[in-house]
């Protein structure tokens, strides 16, 4: 067990170093509650998605206006998990979806996804994103949450190689994502800015197995 | 981009960059921050071994480029992708334009691709009436300004927040605040609506994995994920050099690429796309996906015995990050489309010699790029080789040919040098400097005082000063190089004094001549070979324990350069190997071989700064020895900022580009003065000539000399 905990510790250190938020939780139930707590706290007084408060062109403004409510997406939860999560969302008055993400390109508040594994030395989550809905949820959410069982943390990319290969090379089309921290840029004067195209925050919810 | 036709025009453009204050400041900040973040990213890792693994993997892939392409194509097509091969830039653009037309695409979003910059893809698509939007923030900014990138990873590094705010005000038709965080958010919203409405996405590819037909994309912003997901058509444009057999090889490059590029252990996103994925915007809910491989000279390059290493480049941009010349002039002047040292080389192969001719002259040969290259490419050597090719193709300038001819005849060369001391009399005014240079020469070169030829060359004094040693344990042959022989013989004499104190027996073989580096820098291939032969033959290497030189550039050229230069000369193989194995620099010899310590010196507590010569610290990897010796000499070693950054001499470079040489020298002197040292030492007479000349011109009273002189003065 201590090897798992060592990897979890390294994973936390490296992920936090690149601006991810790491929380350790007991189980999926706690993970769902955490996600909704964050959703409640987020922009308590406004529904605006990031950037829509700026002075924009008419077309950009028009896309902003398509977002009218708080939305969370969880496309890769199992049916049972999704039923439980969407019930919790309903209690809090938050819209929960698992498909039709193309209808929300202005942005959604939170995307929740199971991660397939993680690479501790770089703080990276590996997520099979072959489903377009899942892909979009991890791209257009303001806060992206990856649920990661501690036992799925590998030390290095080479330790994860066999399993990553199994994800990308199945004989059918695949889309596999390594995600490390939030979306970032330093393209203006090399000043770090978070959230240029993708999520502004990445939360890694590490679960005990 | 390169538009200058002549070196004169090119130098005029360089001066414009030097006058751009924002650029200079931005570049200085970057140049000092980058080495720190890179070092942090590699801390605790075996950097050299990681780079060697990339080099081996990429070399193997380049050798099997055609095989990997066939395998990739088969695997990708099995998974619903159409794979194309374009022989050149025009064909690649044509293929992509045709795809857009056939699939009725009107609006295209693009993520960053240097390969698309190489083919000038946007111009072609826009000519067809297509709307093309770059979505990488930096690329979008330069697209809006109708410029090319100034860095491979940070394309808009030359622009200020004010310029970006003005630009975004135009785009949104609303006045934007000068606040980087808010400007980034404006870009987020403006570009999002383009993603939502585009028909086609165009990406590059960092990796093309043959065994699964997968492309890998390495990004930070996340725009490539949207580009490859939202539109119904995806086209990836990919150089053949990105082919790799397996995920394993891709992971090896991925370990080095972001660390080298931006000091990150990994980028925010690495995306592996295998086949034509689900796409709800397409009629059959399946993405129309094309991968266009670009040859444009890569297949021929992969077969070239010397230049095939160019295929190892992972486009990290690090060779620009550490280049002292790039730092001064920026990417628009230090490249055509590809930037930095690799840009000089790729311009010649991808964009032709007219674009490369002036550009390849602008390398100071400091080897900074070679020491950090993610693929271990010997960039300075390749740049020198391109100069030689250009000179063979187009004819060499008169002065290079003349110098080549003179150097081939040692006696003529040395006679001319001796004659120099009479010819210079009217201009020295009795000082060791040339005081009154003709006006035309002074115009650009007045930033440093040039030294005069010494009254008596070292070789002409050797027999009278040569120490007689009985029962010597070590036999050493001295190689002086031209500068110490004819300009600074006192440095050689100081070294002789230090060595004699330890009973080292010394020889000075009289047939030695210039090491040949200056003619190599001037692209005189035959003279470079002839002089190398002459020097190897002048030394009966088997007779000596070491061949010692006080000149870092000579040492590196004799030890690392000669085996390459004489590789084609079968009669020399054994001789040059033995010769090179015996070459040692002064500091290493005194510190490592003689083992001299503080016990050997009586110090005066003088405050001494050190200049770490390019060819010593990077060329030969000698770092600690000279610094330890300064301390041992009883002096106080005063570390300066950027000790290992080039002083701006670079031999013939400072003659060709005096305006750049001056700027580098100014930085060197400022850093040295800031230490409060009263003396600066180095291991190379060329650097000393430059720095001493600058100090003399400034009148800063700093004594500049060779480390051998410091040691000789302080001997017990």
């Amino acid at each position: 067990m201590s090897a798992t905990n060592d990897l979890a510790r390294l994973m936390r250190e490296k992920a936090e170093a690149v601006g991810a938020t790491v929380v350790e939780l007991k189980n999926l139930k706690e993970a769902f509650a955490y996600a909704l707590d964050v959703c409640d706290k987020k922009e308590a007084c406004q529904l605006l998605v990031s950037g829509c408060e700026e002075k924009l062109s008419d077309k950009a403004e028009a896309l902003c206006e398509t977002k009218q409510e708080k939305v969370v997406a969880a496309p890769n939860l199992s049916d049972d998990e999704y039923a439980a999560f969407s019930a919790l969302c309903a209690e809090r008055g938050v819209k929960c979806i698992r498909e039709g993400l193309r209808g929300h390109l202005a942005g959604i508040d939170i995307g929740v996804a199971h991660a397939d594994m993680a690479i501790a030395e770089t703080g990276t989550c590996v997520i099979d994103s072959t489903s377009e809905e899942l892909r979009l949820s991890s791209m257009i959410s303001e806060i992206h949450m990856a649920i990661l069982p501690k036992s799925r943390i590998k030390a290095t990319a080479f330790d994860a190689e066999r399993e990553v290969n199994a994800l990308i090379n199945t004989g059918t089309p695949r889309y596999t994502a390594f995600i490390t921290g939030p979306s970032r840029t330093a393209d203006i004067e090399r000043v770090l800015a978070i959230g240029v195209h993708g999520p502004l925050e990445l939360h890694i919810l590490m679960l005990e197995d | 981009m390169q538009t200058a036709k002549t070196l004169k025009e090119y130098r005029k453009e360089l001066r414009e960059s030097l006058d751009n204050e924002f650029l200079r400041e931005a570049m200085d900040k970057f140049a000092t921050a980058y080495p720190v973040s890179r070092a942090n990213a590699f801390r605790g890792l075996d950097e050299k071994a990681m780079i060697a693994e990339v080099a081996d993997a990429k070399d193997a892939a380049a050798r099997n480029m055609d095989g990997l392409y066939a395998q990739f194509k088969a695997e990708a097509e099995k998974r619903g992708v159409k794979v194309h091969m374009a022989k050149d830039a025009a064909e690649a653009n044509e293929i992509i334009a045709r795809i857009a037309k056939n699939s009725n695409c009107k609006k295209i979003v693009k993520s960053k691709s240097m390969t698309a910059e190489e083919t000038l893809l946007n111009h072609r698509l826009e000519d067809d009436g297509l709307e093309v939007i770059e979505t990488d923030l930096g690329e979008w900014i330069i697209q809006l300004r109708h410029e090319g990138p100034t860095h491979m990873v940070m394309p808009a590094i030359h622009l200020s927040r004010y310029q970006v705010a003005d630009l975004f005000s135009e785009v949104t038709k609303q006045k934007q605040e000068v606040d980087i965080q808010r400007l980034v958010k404006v870009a987020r919203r403006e570009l999002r609506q383009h993603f939502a409405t585009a028909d086609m996405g165009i990406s590059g590819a960092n990796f093309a994995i043959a065994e699964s037909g997968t492309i890998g994309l390495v990004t930070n912003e996340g725009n490539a994920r949207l580009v490859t997901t939202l539109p119904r058509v995806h086209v990836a444009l990919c150089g053949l050099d990105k082919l790799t057999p397996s995920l394993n090889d891709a992971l090896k490059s991925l370990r080095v690429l972001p660390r080298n590029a931006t000091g990150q252990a990994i980028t925010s996103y690495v995306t592996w796309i295998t086949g034509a994925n689900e796409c709800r915007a397409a009629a059959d809910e399946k993405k129309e996906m094309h991968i266009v491989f670009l040859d444009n000279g890569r297949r021929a390059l992969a077969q070239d015995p010397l230049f095939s290493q160019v295929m190892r480049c992972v486009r990290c941009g690090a060779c620009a990050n550490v280049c002292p010349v790039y730092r001064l002039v920026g990417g628009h002047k230090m490249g055509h489309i590809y930037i930095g040292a690799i840009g000089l080389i790729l311009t010649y192969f991808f964009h032709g010699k007219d674009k490369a001719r002036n550009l390849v002259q602008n390398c100071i040969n400091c080897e900074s790029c070679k020491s950090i290259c993610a693929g271990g490419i010997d960039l300075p050597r390749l740049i020198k080789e391109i100069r030689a090719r250009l000179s063979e193709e187009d004819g060499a300038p008169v002065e290079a040919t003349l110098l080549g001819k003179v150097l081939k005849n040692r006696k003529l060369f040395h006679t001319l040098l001796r004659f120099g001391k009479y010819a210079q009399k009217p201009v020295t005014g009795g000082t060791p400097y040339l005081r009154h240079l003709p006006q035309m020469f002074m115009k650009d070169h007045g930033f440093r005082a040039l030294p005069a030829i010494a009254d008596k060359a070292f070789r002409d004094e050797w027999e009278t000063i040569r120490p007689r040693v009985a029962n010597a344990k070590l036999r050493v042959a001295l190689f002086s190089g031209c500068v110490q022989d004819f300009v600074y013989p006192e440095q050689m004499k100081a070294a002789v004094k230090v060595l004699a104190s330890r009973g080292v027996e010394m020889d000075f073989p009289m047939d030695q001549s210039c090491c040949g580096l200056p003619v190599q820098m001037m692209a005189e291939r035959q003279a470079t070979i002839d002089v190398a032969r002459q020097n190897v033959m002048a030394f009966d290497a088997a007779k000596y324990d070491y061949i010692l030189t006080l000149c870092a550039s000579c040492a590196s050229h004799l030890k690392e350069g000669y085996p390459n230069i004489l590789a084609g000369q079968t009669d020399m193989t054994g001789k040059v190997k033995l010769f090179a194995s015996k070459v040692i620099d002064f500091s290493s010899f005194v510190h490592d071989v003689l083992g001299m310590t503080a016990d050997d010196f009586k110090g005066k507590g003088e405050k001494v700064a050190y200049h770490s010569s390019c060819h010593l610290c990077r060329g030969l990897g000698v770092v600690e020895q000279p610094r330890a010796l300064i301390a041992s000499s009883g002096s106080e070693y005063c570390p300066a900022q950027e000790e290992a950054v080039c002083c701006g001499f670079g031999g013939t470079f400072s003659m060709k580009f005096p305006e750049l040489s001056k700027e580098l020298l100014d930085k060197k002197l400022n850093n040295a003065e800031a230490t409060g040292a009263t003396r600066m030492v180095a291991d190379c007479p060329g650097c000393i000539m430059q720095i001493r000349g600058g100090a003399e011109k400034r009148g800063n009273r700093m004594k500049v000399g060779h480390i051998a002189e410091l040691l000789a003065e302080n001997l017990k």
Side-chain angles (χ1 to χ4, degrees), chain B residues 19 33 72 99 108 111 118 153 172 250 265 334 350 365 387 457 472 498 505 587 594 623 650 655 679:
Chain B
D19 291 340
F72 185 97
I99 295 167
I108 298 173
S111 61
E118 177 185 333
V153 177
T172 56
M334 191 61 184
F350 293 164
N365 194 33
R387 285 181 191 166
V498 174
E505 187 181 335
S587 283
L594 297 182
V623 175
M655 295 296 163
R679 182 169 186 166

mmCIF file of all heavy atoms in Angstrom, chain B residues 19 33 72 99 108 111 118 153 172 250 265 334 350 365 387 457 472 498 505 587 594 623 650 655 679:
data_model
loop_
_atom_site.group_PDB
_atom_site.id
_atom_site.type_symbol
_atom_site.label_atom_id
_atom_site.label_comp_id
_atom_site.label_asym_id
_atom_site.label_seq_id
_atom_site.Cartn_x
_atom_site.Cartn_y
_atom_site.Cartn_z
ATOM 1 N N ASP B 19 17.805 48.388 -32.735
ATOM 2 C CA ASP B 19 17.210 49.649 -32.276
ATOM 3 C C ASP B 19 15.808 49.467 -31.682
ATOM 4 O O ASP B 19 15.219 50.409 -31.184
ATOM 5 C CB ASP B 19 17.124 50.649 -33.442
ATOM 6 C CG ASP B 19 18.509 51.114 -33.867
ATOM 7 O OD1 ASP B 19 19.441 50.976 -33.057
ATOM 8 O OD2 ASP B 19 18.667 51.578 -35.010
ATOM 9 N N ALA B 33 15.921 34.084 -18.219
ATOM 10 C CA ALA B 33 14.979 33.213 -17.496
ATOM 11 C C ALA B 33 15.038 31.771 -18.009
ATOM 12 O O ALA B 33 14.917 30.816 -17.224
ATOM 13 C CB ALA B 33 13.554 33.753 -17.645
ATOM 14 N N PHE B 72 2.554 3.401 -41.662
ATOM 15 C CA PHE B 72 1.611 4.383 -41.106
ATOM 16 C C PHE B 72 0.367 4.476 -41.986
ATOM 17 O O PHE B 72 -0.762 4.449 -41.514
ATOM 18 C CB PHE B 72 2.273 5.759 -40.974
ATOM 19 C CG PHE B 72 1.382 6.779 -40.307
ATOM 20 C CD1 PHE B 72 1.502 7.041 -38.955
ATOM 21 C CD2 PHE B 72 0.391 7.448 -41.026
ATOM 22 C CE1 PHE B 72 0.661 7.958 -38.323
ATOM 23 C CE2 PHE B 72 -0.456 8.361 -40.410
ATOM 24 C CZ PHE B 72 -0.319 8.616 -39.053
ATOM 25 N N ILE B 99 -9.052 19.208 -50.839
ATOM 26 C CA ILE B 99 -9.917 18.586 -49.817
ATOM 27 C C ILE B 99 -10.995 19.588 -49.392
ATOM 28 O O ILE B 99 -12.180 19.257 -49.290
ATOM 29 C CB ILE B 99 -9.088 18.136 -48.590
ATOM 30 C CG1 ILE B 99 -8.125 17.019 -48.983
ATOM 31 C CG2 ILE B 99 -10.012 17.679 -47.456
ATOM 32 C CD1 ILE B 99 -7.065 16.731 -47.915
ATOM 33 N N ILE B 108 -12.059 27.628 -41.946
ATOM 34 C CA ILE B 108 -11.056 26.687 -41.436
ATOM 35 C C ILE B 108 -10.454 27.226 -40.142
ATOM 36 O O ILE B 108 -10.031 28.387 -40.087
ATOM 37 C CB ILE B 108 -9.932 26.479 -42.482
ATOM 38 C CG1 ILE B 108 -10.522 25.871 -43.766
ATOM 39 C CG2 ILE B 108 -8.819 25.593 -41.924
ATOM 40 C CD1 ILE B 108 -9.523 25.793 -44.909
ATOM 41 N N SER B 111 -4.735 24.841 -35.774
ATOM 42 C CA SER B 111 -3.854 24.900 -34.610
ATOM 43 C C SER B 111 -2.431 24.980 -35.137
ATOM 44 O O SER B 111 -2.175 24.808 -36.325
ATOM 45 C CB SER B 111 -4.062 23.706 -33.675
ATOM 46 O OG SER B 111 -3.781 22.504 -34.340
ATOM 47 N N GLU B 118 5.885 26.435 -43.099
ATOM 48 C CA GLU B 118 6.888 26.095 -44.120
ATOM 49 C C GLU B 118 6.277 26.144 -45.529
ATOM 50 O O GLU B 118 6.911 26.616 -46.465
ATOM 51 C CB GLU B 118 7.444 24.688 -43.818
ATOM 52 C CG GLU B 118 8.434 24.148 -44.824
ATOM 53 C CD GLU B 118 8.829 22.694 -44.511
ATOM 54 O OE1 GLU B 118 8.778 22.297 -43.321
ATOM 55 O OE2 GLU B 118 9.168 21.954 -45.449
ATOM 56 N N VAL B 153 8.068 28.219 -30.752
ATOM 57 C CA VAL B 153 7.130 27.873 -29.689
ATOM 58 C C VAL B 153 6.353 29.113 -29.218
ATOM 59 O O VAL B 153 5.193 29.012 -28.841
ATOM 60 C CB VAL B 153 7.877 27.210 -28.515
ATOM 61 C CG1 VAL B 153 6.932 26.906 -27.372
ATOM 62 C CG2 VAL B 153 8.551 25.926 -28.989
ATOM 63 N N THR B 172 -12.480 43.414 -32.231
ATOM 64 C CA THR B 172 -13.778 43.422 -31.551
ATOM 65 C C THR B 172 -14.540 44.712 -31.801
ATOM 66 O O THR B 172 -15.691 44.842 -31.410
ATOM 67 C CB THR B 172 -13.585 43.291 -30.029
ATOM 68 O OG1 THR B 172 -12.724 44.351 -29.587
ATOM 69 C CG2 THR B 172 -12.940 41.964 -29.657
ATOM 70 N N ALA B 250 7.993 7.825 -29.317
ATOM 71 C CA ALA B 250 7.344 9.126 -29.147
ATOM 72 C C ALA B 250 7.492 9.590 -27.702
ATOM 73 O O ALA B 250 7.773 10.763 -27.439
ATOM 74 C CB ALA B 250 5.872 9.027 -29.535
ATOM 75 N N ALA B 265 7.755 19.973 -17.576
ATOM 76 C CA ALA B 265 7.972 18.522 -17.602
ATOM 77 C C ALA B 265 7.110 17.898 -18.693
ATOM 78 O O ALA B 265 7.496 16.929 -19.351
ATOM 79 C CB ALA B 265 7.626 17.917 -16.249
ATOM 80 N N MET B 334 16.718 36.198 -37.469
ATOM 81 C CA MET B 334 17.532 34.995 -37.218
ATOM 82 C C MET B 334 16.797 33.780 -37.751
ATOM 83 O O MET B 334 16.683 32.752 -37.097
ATOM 84 C CB MET B 334 17.778 34.872 -35.697
ATOM 85 C CG MET B 334 18.808 33.843 -35.299
ATOM 86 S SD MET B 334 20.420 34.220 -36.001
ATOM 87 C CE MET B 334 21.351 32.799 -35.449
ATOM 88 N N PHE B 350 15.020 23.808 -47.173
ATOM 89 C CA PHE B 350 13.599 23.909 -47.516
ATOM 90 C C PHE B 350 13.275 25.138 -48.370
ATOM 91 O O PHE B 350 12.311 25.130 -49.114
ATOM 92 C CB PHE B 350 12.737 23.975 -46.247
ATOM 93 C CG PHE B 350 12.741 22.707 -45.432
ATOM 94 C CD1 PHE B 350 12.290 22.722 -44.114
ATOM 95 C CD2 PHE B 350 13.164 21.500 -45.968
ATOM 96 C CE1 PHE B 350 12.272 21.563 -43.354
ATOM 97 C CE2 PHE B 350 13.160 20.327 -45.214
ATOM 98 C CZ PHE B 350 12.712 20.370 -43.901
ATOM 99 N N ASN B 365 29.234 30.659 -33.740
ATOM 100 C CA ASN B 365 29.949 29.401 -33.467
ATOM 101 C C ASN B 365 30.256 29.229 -31.980
ATOM 102 O O ASN B 365 31.290 28.706 -31.606
ATOM 103 C CB ASN B 365 31.244 29.352 -34.295
ATOM 104 C CG ASN B 365 31.853 27.957 -34.333
ATOM 105 O OD1 ASN B 365 31.135 26.963 -34.312
ATOM 106 N ND2 ASN B 365 33.163 27.883 -34.375
ATOM 107 N N ARG B 387 27.989 26.771 -45.120
ATOM 108 C CA ARG B 387 28.811 27.876 -45.641
ATOM 109 C C ARG B 387 29.790 27.367 -46.686
ATOM 110 O O ARG B 387 29.975 27.982 -47.736
ATOM 111 C CB ARG B 387 29.610 28.515 -44.509
ATOM 112 C CG ARG B 387 28.782 29.376 -43.607
ATOM 113 C CD ARG B 387 29.700 29.968 -42.550
ATOM 114 N NE ARG B 387 28.924 30.600 -41.508
ATOM 115 C CZ ARG B 387 29.421 30.957 -40.336
ATOM 116 N NH1 ARG B 387 30.693 30.753 -40.062
ATOM 117 N NH2 ARG B 387 28.659 31.535 -39.434
ATOM 118 N N ALA B 457 57.815 37.438 -32.075
ATOM 119 C CA ALA B 457 56.893 36.310 -31.981
ATOM 120 C C ALA B 457 57.426 35.271 -31.000
ATOM 121 O O ALA B 457 58.643 35.171 -30.784
ATOM 122 C CB ALA B 457 56.703 35.678 -33.354
ATOM 123 N N ALA B 472 62.635 14.814 -16.639
ATOM 124 C CA ALA B 472 61.224 15.237 -16.656
ATOM 125 C C ALA B 472 60.296 14.041 -16.587
ATOM 126 O O ALA B 472 60.579 12.992 -17.166
ATOM 127 C CB ALA B 472 60.951 16.029 -17.922
ATOM 128 N N VAL B 498 54.904 28.512 -15.611
ATOM 129 C CA VAL B 498 54.106 27.669 -14.700
ATOM 130 C C VAL B 498 54.494 26.199 -14.880
ATOM 131 O O VAL B 498 54.726 25.467 -13.913
ATOM 132 C CB VAL B 498 52.589 27.853 -14.938
ATOM 133 C CG1 VAL B 498 51.772 26.881 -14.098
ATOM 134 C CG2 VAL B 498 52.177 29.303 -14.626
ATOM 135 N N GLU B 505 58.880 18.976 -19.292
ATOM 136 C CA GLU B 505 59.725 19.208 -20.455
ATOM 137 C C GLU B 505 58.863 19.662 -21.629
ATOM 138 O O GLU B 505 57.813 19.077 -21.887
ATOM 139 C CB GLU B 505 60.468 17.923 -20.840
ATOM 140 C CG GLU B 505 61.484 18.162 -21.933
ATOM 141 C CD GLU B 505 62.207 16.876 -22.326
ATOM 142 O OE1 GLU B 505 62.281 15.953 -21.494
ATOM 143 O OE2 GLU B 505 62.668 16.805 -23.480
ATOM 144 N N SER B 587 44.130 25.012 -18.546
ATOM 145 C CA SER B 587 43.557 24.878 -17.196
ATOM 146 C C SER B 587 43.404 23.423 -16.780
ATOM 147 O O SER B 587 43.701 23.059 -15.640
ATOM 148 C CB SER B 587 42.200 25.594 -17.110
ATOM 149 O OG SER B 587 42.383 26.985 -17.003
ATOM 150 N N LEU B 594 48.780 18.332 -13.517
ATOM 151 C CA LEU B 594 49.821 18.738 -12.559
ATOM 152 C C LEU B 594 49.292 18.766 -11.133
ATOM 153 O O LEU B 594 50.067 18.694 -10.177
ATOM 154 C CB LEU B 594 50.380 20.119 -12.927
ATOM 155 C CG LEU B 594 51.088 20.225 -14.284
ATOM 156 C CD1 LEU B 594 51.636 21.631 -14.480
ATOM 157 C CD2 LEU B 594 52.209 19.195 -14.412
ATOM 158 N N VAL B 623 34.796 23.179 -17.091
ATOM 159 C CA VAL B 623 33.998 24.166 -16.362
ATOM 160 C C VAL B 623 34.627 24.531 -15.023
ATOM 161 O O VAL B 623 34.865 25.698 -14.725
ATOM 162 C CB VAL B 623 32.564 23.628 -16.151
ATOM 163 C CG1 VAL B 623 31.757 24.589 -15.288
ATOM 164 C CG2 VAL B 623 31.861 23.425 -17.496
ATOM 165 N N GLY B 650 34.097 35.520 -31.692
ATOM 166 C CA GLY B 650 33.731 34.594 -32.768
ATOM 167 C C GLY B 650 34.620 34.705 -33.983
ATOM 168 O O GLY B 650 34.191 34.427 -35.102
ATOM 169 N N MET B 655 34.237 40.518 -37.456
ATOM 170 C CA MET B 655 34.579 41.339 -38.625
ATOM 171 C C MET B 655 33.359 41.508 -39.517
ATOM 172 O O MET B 655 33.110 42.571 -40.082
ATOM 173 C CB MET B 655 35.694 40.670 -39.436
ATOM 174 C CG MET B 655 37.006 40.580 -38.687
ATOM 175 S SD MET B 655 37.646 42.248 -38.359
ATOM 176 C CE MET B 655 38.836 41.901 -37.094
ATOM 177 N N ARG B 679 40.208 42.547 -12.248
ATOM 178 C CA ARG B 679 40.892 41.785 -13.283
ATOM 179 C C ARG B 679 39.926 40.738 -13.821
ATOM 180 O O ARG B 679 39.090 40.228 -13.079
ATOM 181 C CB ARG B 679 42.107 41.095 -12.651
ATOM 182 C CG ARG B 679 42.956 40.302 -13.609
ATOM 183 C CD ARG B 679 44.251 39.897 -12.910
ATOM 184 N NE ARG B 679 45.166 39.251 -13.824
ATOM 185 C CZ ARG B 679 46.445 39.045 -13.575
ATOM 186 N NH1 ARG B 679 46.966 39.437 -12.409
ATOM 187 N NH2 ARG B 679 47.214 38.444 -14.446
#
